């Protein structure tokens, strides 16, 4: 029976672990214009990426956008997750489908939708003009704001579903008990519900933060040519440039920064949830 | 916070004393309204782009502008005539079917082994294998795609044949996408499984394989169906992992759409996107008939 785990394991080892190991090895090589990758054992690609003001800015933008989008997604998703968690039967199924549907439709399709909504002649500009609020169309598309809206919309369903699972497990009569003991709804929420929902909040934020850090289609399509995040920068190194060692180093910087912040964040949250 | 109002748990009489009864009711209604707006706003944000795409695919004018000059279905024909979209659709469909057909059995087998073996002193190994199999979810698609790209380029040197830009190369990558979802979903259905029917069948003389085929597998059906659907959709809509692995003449639908969108958005592209939206929506509804989606996610 135990052997049944082998085919899938070998596949993941061969197609994920081994390629990642090779990518890491190449990040320590040196670039050469003639043979592309020259074998070496150097950290200079990492140093160059960290020292270069351009890539520092790209990493800074990525971090800023990812943190902002994670926070916004949490705020937007919480009420929706609550609503979903307290539904039952057929209505609950429908709400889950409604949440899952945009998620499964894919990032490219949703970015296309935002382009139609935010463009110069898009729905939002047309509506504002129709209401007489503006004369000239606003430049909404190809701005950081468009990227934030796009990414938040992409990740919000993940947050809703993760939070709903946890909220569902909070017994409703705990809130009743808090209310009977004289707690206002706000106090009951803060003192009873929120602490119990914290593991879900942590799990949702970690998942969403990783997705935000690695967003590709949304920044490329909604951010315009001047706007750069890490995932598109990695892609550019391999397609538009030929500097594999440097591109590999960028990929690992993205991976490590995401991992470090994810671990730090979950550690901070789990300290808060630990019994005092 | 307006959230509690939804539960209906707090009846007016249990509200703290000192709050006027009428005032509490008004505050309550306000909280309920604010809550409703927050939920509605969240769903508007996540559904608006999908609805916008479907809407503009019907616009009569070629340059997207609101309000529309009229409505037409002509762009769907136009989209089908564009080779990159027709072939992209065919490639994505083929790819998703093959990847799911390979990945779901492998993932189901792995989930069974993880659930049934690896007890006692092997538990830690089981945990590690579980983490490894969920790995493709944890490694960002673009980074994994980059790694596979280099891997393929190097491997091409050894086998002296194309891998990058071929169907087998894409299938191998996409099977990777299907494994973690399958393992996760089948493990979830195994966790809630009643072992008594299997024991009864074994006691009545059924051989292990017969027990598996006649008892275990039918009980796992919801999980496996859901895993197949998710695997198919994950493969069909994947962009990041695929981006570097496509080749000339073999592009998936999402990559074809991305390349087009880097220049413009028009009703033709929206028509292609709408086809993808409708396909995904139909698959979700079909699956929901087999297994309630609210139970598996």
């Amino acid at each position: 029976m135990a052997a049944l785990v082998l085919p899938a394991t070998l596949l993941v080892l061969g197609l994920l672990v081994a390629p990642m190991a090779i990518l890491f090895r190449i990040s320590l090589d040196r670039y050469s214009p003639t043979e592309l990758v020259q074998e070496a054992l150097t950290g200079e690609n990492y140093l160059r990426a960290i020292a270069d003001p351009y890539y520092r800015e790209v990493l800074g933008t990525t971090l800023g956008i990812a943190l902002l989008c994670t926070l916004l997604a949490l705020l937007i998703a919480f009420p929706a997750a609550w609503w979903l968690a307290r539904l039952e039967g057929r209505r609950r199924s429908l709400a889950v489908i409604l949440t899952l549907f945009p998620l499964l439709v894919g990032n490219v399709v949703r970015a296309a939708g935002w382009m139609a909504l935010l463009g110069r002649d898009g729905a939002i500009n047309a509506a504002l003009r129709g209401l007489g609020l503006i004369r000239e169309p606003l430049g909404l598309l190809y701005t950081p704001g468009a990227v934030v809206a796009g990414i938040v919309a992409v990740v919000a369903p993940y947050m809703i579903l993760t939070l709903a699972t946890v909220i569902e497990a909070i017994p409703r009569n705990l809130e009743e008990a808090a209310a009977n003991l004289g707690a206002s709804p706000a106090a009951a929420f803060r003192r009873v519900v929120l602490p119990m929902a914290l593991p879900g909040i942590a799990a949702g934020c970690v998942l969403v933060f990783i997705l935000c850090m690695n967003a590709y289609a949304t920044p490329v399509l909604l951010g315009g040519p001047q706007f750069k995040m890490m995932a598109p920068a990695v892609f550019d190194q391999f397609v538009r440039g030929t500097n594999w060692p440097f591109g590999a180093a960028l990929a690992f910087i993205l991976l490590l920064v995401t991992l470090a912040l994810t671990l730090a964040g979950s550690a901070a949250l789990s300290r808060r949830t630990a019994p005092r | 916070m307006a959230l509690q109002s939804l539960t209906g748990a707090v009846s007016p009489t249990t509200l703290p004393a000192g709050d006027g009864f009428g005032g509490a009711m008004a505050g309550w209604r306000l909280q309920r309204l604010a809550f409703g707006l927050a939920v509605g706003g969240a769903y508007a944000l996540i559904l608006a782009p999908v609805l916008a795409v479907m809407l503009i695919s019907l616009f009569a004018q070629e340059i997207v502008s609101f309000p529309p000059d009229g409505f037409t279905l002509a762009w769907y024909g136009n989209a089908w005539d564009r080779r990159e979209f027709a072939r992209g659709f065919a490639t994505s469909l083929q790819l998703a079917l093959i990847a799911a057909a390979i990945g779901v059995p492998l993932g189901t087998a792995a989930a069974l082994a993880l659930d049934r073996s690896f007890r006692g002193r092997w538990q830690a190994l089981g945990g590690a294998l579980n983490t490894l199999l969920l790995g493709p979810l944890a490694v960002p698609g673009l980074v994994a795609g980059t790694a596979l790209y280099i891997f393929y380029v190097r491997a091409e040197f050894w086998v002296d044949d194309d891998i990058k830009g071929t169907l087998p190369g894409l299938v191998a990558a996409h099977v990777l996408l299907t494994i973690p979802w399958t393992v996760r979903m089948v493990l979830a259905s195994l966790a809630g499984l009643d072992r008594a029917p299997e024991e009864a069948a074994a006691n009545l003389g059924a051989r292990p394989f017969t027990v598996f085929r006649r008892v275990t597998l039918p009980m796992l059906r919801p999980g496996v169906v859901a895993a197949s659907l998710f695997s198919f959709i994950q493969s069909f809509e994947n962009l990041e992992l695929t981006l570097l692995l496509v080749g000339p003449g073999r592009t998936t639908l999402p990559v074809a759409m991305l390349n087009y969108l880097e220049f413009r958005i028009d009703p033709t592209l929206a028509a292609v996107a709408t086809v993808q939206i409708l396909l995904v929506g139909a698959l979700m509804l079909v699956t929901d008939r087999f297994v309630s989606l609210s139970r598996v996610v």
Side-chain angles (χ1 to χ4, degrees), chain A residues 92-93 96, chain B residues 188-189 219 222-223 288 290-297:
Chain A
R92 186 185 156 79
S93 298
V96 168
Chain B
S189 20
M219 289 199 293
D288 196 56
F290 278 92
V291 42
S292 170
L293 283 175
S294 60
R295 275 184 43 219
V296 290
V297 289

Side-chain angles (χ1 to χ4, degrees), chain A residues 13-58:
Chain A
L13 284 175
L15 291 171
L16 184 73
V17 178
M20 289 297 287
I22 294 174
L23 185 70
F24 180 67
R25 182 64 192 84
I26 284 185
S27 77
L28 302 174
D29 284 339
R30 205 169 271 138
Y31 173 68
S32 111
T34 46
E35 44 184 332
L36 297 181
V37 179
Q38 191 180 54
E39 212 162 294
L41 205 61
T42 166
E44 65 192 32
N45 298 306
Y46 290 90
L47 290 178
R48 194 192 129 198
I50 295 165
D52 189 326
Y54 175 73
Y55 288 104
R56 265 222 299 268
E57 198 192 312
V58 171

Side-chain angles (χ1 to χ4, degrees), chain A residues 104-115:
Chain A
L104 294 179
V105 153
N107 297 347
V108 184
V109 170
R110 281 183 290 174
W114 285 111
M115 290 170 83

